[in-house]
Amino acid sequence: MLYVARDAQGKISEMHPTPVAGAAEALPADNPEVLQFIHERWRSNELSELDRDFVRVIEDTIELLISKRLILFTDLPPKVQEKLLRRKEIRQRTGFDSRLGAGGDDIIPL
């Protein structure tokens, strides 16, 4: 059994393996509403993961364009420059190499 809470429209909004405050309605794991909730969450997580990967692709593409001198870093808007520098700094601090094709999580291998 899974324990669910519902939103104002009656749709499942939370799911727990044990009863918790606000989620005491028990439903079997093969209930269509439970399966729909799990499917929607899985899709949402999949899309978020793809978005994160795509951000890295864009970042690597910008670095490639800069390295080939097709654009200058200073041509980018200041906010974009800040975000790129911040991401590069975080990757370096967390052990991800910032060079195109160098890190284990890179999308575009050389």
Side-chain angles (χ1 to χ4, degrees), residues 3-5 14-25:
Y3 298 87
V4 301
E14 294 179 36
M15 190 176 304
H16 303 275
T18 59
V20 297
E25 179 185 350

Side-chain angles (χ1 to χ4, degrees), residues 90-108:
I90 295 296
R91 277 197 325 273
Q92 286 173 342
R93 262 197 277 154
T94 58
F96 291 110
D97 196 315
S98 64
R99 291 176 293 127
L100 178 66
D105 71 334
D106 285 338
I107 305 306
I108 306 174

Side-chain angles (χ1 to χ4, degrees), residues 59 63 81-98:
E59 188 178 356
E63 288 182 18
Q81 291 178 29
E82 287 175 32
K83 289 182 187 312
L84 286 169
L85 289 173
R86 181 71 177 139
R87 285 185 52 84
K88 187 174 190 174
E89 175 188 329
I90 295 296
R91 277 197 325 273
Q92 286 173 342
R93 262 197 277 154
T94 58
F96 291 110
D97 196 315
S98 64

Side-chain angles (χ1 to χ4, degrees), residues 18-86:
T18 59
V20 297
E25 179 185 350
L27 293 174
D30 62 350
N31 177 286
E33 285 183 288
V34 168
L35 295 175
Q36 181 67 28
F37 179 81
I38 291 169
H39 179 73
E40 288 171 3
R41 289 293 167 108
W42 178 78
R43 279 294 206 210
S44 176
N45 289 340
E46 182 181 36
L47 186 57
S48 294
E49 186 175 322
L50 288 171
D51 287 348
R52 283 190 303 272
D53 291 346
F54 195 67
V55 167
R56 184 59 196 259
V57 168
I58 293 169
E59 188 178 356
D60 287 348
T61 302
I62 291 169
E63 288 182 18
L64 178 65
L65 292 171
I66 291 170
S67 72
K68 292 187 174 280
R69 298 188 183 274
L70 296 172
I71 62 171
L72 297 173
F73 182 76
T74 54
D75 289 340
L76 300 170
K79 288 288 184 189
V80 173
Q81 291 178 29
E82 287 175 32
K83 289 182 187 312
L84 286 169
L85 289 173
R86 181 71 177 139

